[in-house]
């Protein structure tokens, strides 16, 4: 007989989605745990069952969100999802973060036309906006802030669902304001901004030595591009930091909820614990954990018992008259090994996180790649009240 699962509180999913005070819902977790599916399922249920005007934003460059929502592609512009039941007044849009397009939009919105053109054509900026470490996380903050501002001012949406990247970097955007401040306040950038001003004037000889060394390492053209970019971009630095810090404050407000997504594997649950600890440290509002792809069996016979019964039906002198029954028992034993291993991992995870509401979503027999299957996942999450 299988052991009785440890009981913890269940997340009130429908209560969460119906709560008009919740404006941002962030799903985070490691790769391959169904985080994109969970995000899309929650967004769809909010739109159809609770008449919310929803936009779902994915920071993950994979195409699974577009496929599951029946869209040919996703880009930096929210697109309406066709096939959503809008009779109650809800709606569902979807988009995927385009890091460079978001950066360009920020420059164009907050700089004069002449200054914006100078920045956008700068080669150092072009490299920074596509591959610089931390840029994706900061642009995720920018885009989330833009969507939330549009939601508040224009009323286009009343719920933003965010599907984060598939790794621990899923929470790196929490560090974006600090990283940006460290970058912008760095001595080297300040030196590049004003190498002959203020305190640097007193040590111009040393500055010239540094500049000469940098020129040799980077090349005079690259160094000139960096200096030109910094000079043009200086007026935007403060605004970038302020917006990132405002968005970060919003993430810890009563308007935001986090959901950690995992599967019943050792690595995924270890990563989920990391996310939980980080959210606790940052005092972010964690709503609960969704554990996807949990295996079950309607036949309550343990793996050991099924294996023993199969051995009793082993072929004998009279041939193998019980071959089908034996194969069925062997198959059931393998499944129950998986069930029991998962149950042990989940129960240990619950013991270390006893106060966190958790939902377990059964493993699906087919891929979740359309609206019908997303509705089914949403219903499975919601029925565990």
């Amino acid at each position: 007989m299988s052991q009785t699962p440890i009981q913890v509180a269940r997340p009130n999913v429908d209560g969460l989605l119906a709560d008009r005070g919740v404006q941002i819902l962030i799903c985070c977790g490691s790769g391959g745990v169904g985080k994109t599916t969970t995000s899309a399922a929650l967004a769809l249920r909010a739109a159809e069952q609770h008449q919310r005007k929803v936009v779902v934003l994915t920071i993950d460059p994979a195409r699974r969100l577009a496929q599951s929502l029946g869209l040919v592609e996703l880009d930096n512009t929210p697109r309406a999802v066709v096939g959503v039941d809008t009779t109650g007044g809800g709606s569902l849009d979807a988009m995927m973060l385009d890091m460079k397009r978001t950066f360009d939009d920020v420059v164009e919105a907050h700089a004069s036309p002449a200054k914006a053109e100078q920045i956008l054509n700068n080669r150092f900026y072009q490299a920074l906006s596509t591959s610089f470490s931390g840029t994706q996380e900061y642009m995720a903050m920018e885009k989330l802030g833009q969507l939330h501002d549009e939601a508040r001012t224009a009323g286009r949406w009343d719920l933003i669902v965010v599907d984060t990247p598939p790794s621990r970097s899923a929470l790196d955007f929490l560090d974006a304001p600090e990283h940006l401040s460290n970058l912008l306040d760095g001595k080297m950038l300040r030196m590049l901004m004003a190498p002959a001003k203020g305190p640097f004037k007193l040590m111009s000889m040393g500055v010239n030595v540094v500049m000469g060394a940098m020129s040799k390492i980077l090349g005079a053209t690259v160094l000139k591009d960096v200096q030109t970019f910094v000079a043009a971009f200086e007026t935007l630095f403060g605004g970038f930091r302020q917006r990132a810090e405002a968005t970060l404050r919003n993430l810890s407000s009563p308007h935001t909820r986090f959901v950690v997504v995992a599967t019943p594997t050792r690595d995924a649950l270890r990563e989920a614990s990391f996310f939980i600890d980080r959210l606790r440290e940052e005092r972010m509002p964690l709503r609960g954990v969704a554990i996807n792809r949990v295996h079950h069996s309607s036949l309550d016979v343990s793996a050991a018992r099924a294996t023993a019964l199969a051995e009793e039906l082993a072929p004998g002198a009279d041939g193998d008259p019980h071959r089908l029954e034996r194969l069925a028992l062997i198959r059931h034993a393998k499944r129950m090994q998986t069930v029991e291993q998962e149950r042990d991992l989940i129960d240990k995870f619950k013991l270390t996180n006893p106060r966190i509401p958790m939902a377990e979503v059964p493993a699906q027999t087919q891929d979740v790649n359309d609206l019908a299957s997303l509705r089914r996942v949403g219903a499975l999450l919601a029925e565990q009240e």
Side-chain angles (χ1 to χ4, degrees):
M1 299 294 287
S2 61
Q3 65 188 57
T4 302
I6 294 175
Q7 298 299 316
V8 297
R10 297 292 188 180
N12 183 358
V13 172
D14 277 332
L16 168 67
L17 300 179
D19 185 353
R20 301 283 166 163
V22 176
Q23 301 170 1
I24 300 174
L25 179 59
I26 299 178
C27 296
C28 53
S30 57
V33 297
K35 178 169 50 61
T36 299
T37 295
T38 301
S39 302
L42 292 172
L44 180 61
R45 188 169 183 85
E48 293 188 330
Q49 300 296 321
H50 303 287
Q51 297 77 53
R52 303 294 298 271
K53 296 178 180 179
V54 188
V55 57
V56 56
L57 163 67
T58 182
I59 307 173
D60 185 352
R63 301 290 177 177
R64 282 187 56 82
L65 182 62
Q67 295 169 354
S68 63
L69 294 174
L71 297 172
V72 176
E73 62 177 351
L74 287 179
D75 57 23
N76 217 43
T77 301
R79 299 174 180 271
V81 179
V82 178
V84 175
D85 183 358
T86 60
T87 55
S91 63
L92 178 58
D93 294 339
M95 64 177 296
M96 181 175 70
L97 178 73
D98 182 326
M99 183 172 66
K100 186 177 189 309
R101 182 64 257 172
T102 300
F103 212 151
D104 291 351
D105 289 343
V106 172
V107 171
E108 292 170 350
H110 297 281
S112 67
K115 192 74 74 173
E117 182 179 4
Q118 185 180 10
I119 294 171
L120 295 176
N121 291 330
N122 182 274
R123 284 175 292 185
F124 179 75
Y125 167 77
Q126 292 169 1
L128 174 71
S129 60
T130 56
S131 58
F132 195 79
S133 176
T135 303
Q136 183 189 53
E137 288 74 28
Y138 179 76
M139 287 304 118
M141 293 285 281
E142 276 283 350
K143 180 54 67 176
L144 179 56
Q146 291 173 10
L147 292 173
H148 191 247
D149 287 343
E150 188 172 349
R152 287 189 297 107
T153 58
R156 183 174 178 185
W157 306 291
D158 57 38
L159 178 62
I160 303 167
V161 179
V162 181
D163 168 36
T164 53
S167 67
R168 289 192 174 187
S169 67
L171 290 178
D172 281 355
F173 63 82
L174 299 178
D175 296 322
E178 181 181 355
H179 289 167
L180 186 69
S181 294
N182 290 340
L183 171 65
L184 303 183
D185 293 333
K187 292 181 179 180
M188 189 58 66
L189 278 186
R190 293 300 173 188
M191 187 183 297
L192 290 171
M193 287 183 199
K197 294 180 182 179
F200 292 116
K201 187 175 182 179
L202 299 176
M203 50 182 189
S204 57
M205 183 177 296
V207 171
N208 289 334
V209 171
V210 173
M211 292 299 181
M214 289 180 64
S215 180
K216 290 180 180 179
I217 296 171
L218 301 175
T221 302
V222 174
L223 181 58
K224 181 64 175 177
D225 286 340
V226 174
Q227 289 175 313
T228 302
F229 162 77
V230 172
F233 208 69
E234 183 177 7
T235 56
L236 300 181
F237 282 172
F240 267 66
R241 185 187 297 109
Q242 290 171 6
R243 289 191 302 277
E245 290 173 348
T247 300
L248 184 59
R249 287 193 299 271
N250 200 31
L251 294 182
S252 60
S253 76
H255 302 305
T256 302
R257 296 290 186 276
F258 285 80
V259 173
V260 173
V261 184
T263 52
T265 64
R266 194 177 306 277
D267 289 344
L269 291 174
R270 184 184 300 116
E271 288 294 292
S273 293
F274 166 82
F275 287 117
I276 291 170
D277 291 342
R278 179 67 197 280
L279 291 170
R280 282 173 173 161
E281 290 174 7
E282 299 290 342
R283 297 185 178 180
M284 296 293 175
L286 173 62
R287 180 57 181 249
V289 176
I291 304 177
N292 288 325
R293 303 176 193 148
V294 179
H295 291 86
H296 298 279
S297 176
S298 58
L299 181 61
D300 194 11
V301 177
S302 70
R305 178 59 178 156
T307 300
L309 290 173
E311 291 175 352
E312 291 178 8
L313 298 177
D318 57 346
D320 193 4
H322 304 291
R323 177 176 177 276
L324 293 180
E325 293 90 340
R326 182 168 51 81
L327 291 177
L329 285 166
I330 293 173
R331 187 179 299 113
H332 177 75
K334 290 180 178 179
R335 182 177 183 86
M336 287 305 297
Q337 287 176 350
T338 299
V339 170
E340 291 164 10
Q341 289 170 359
E342 290 180 353
R343 187 76 267 147
D344 182 59
L345 290 170
I346 292 172
D347 285 347
K348 288 178 180 177
F349 181 72
K350 289 179 176 179
L351 284 173
T352 58
N353 300 281
R355 294 186 178 88
I356 299 177
M358 298 186 192
E360 298 179 21
V361 180
Q364 303 297 293
T365 57
Q366 297 179 336
D367 288 341
V368 181
N369 54 15
D370 55 23
L371 292 182
S373 54
L374 285 176
R375 290 188 184 101
R376 184 167 60 251
V377 171
L380 289 170
L381 283 164
E383 73 182 15
Q384 302 185 54
E385 307 301 348

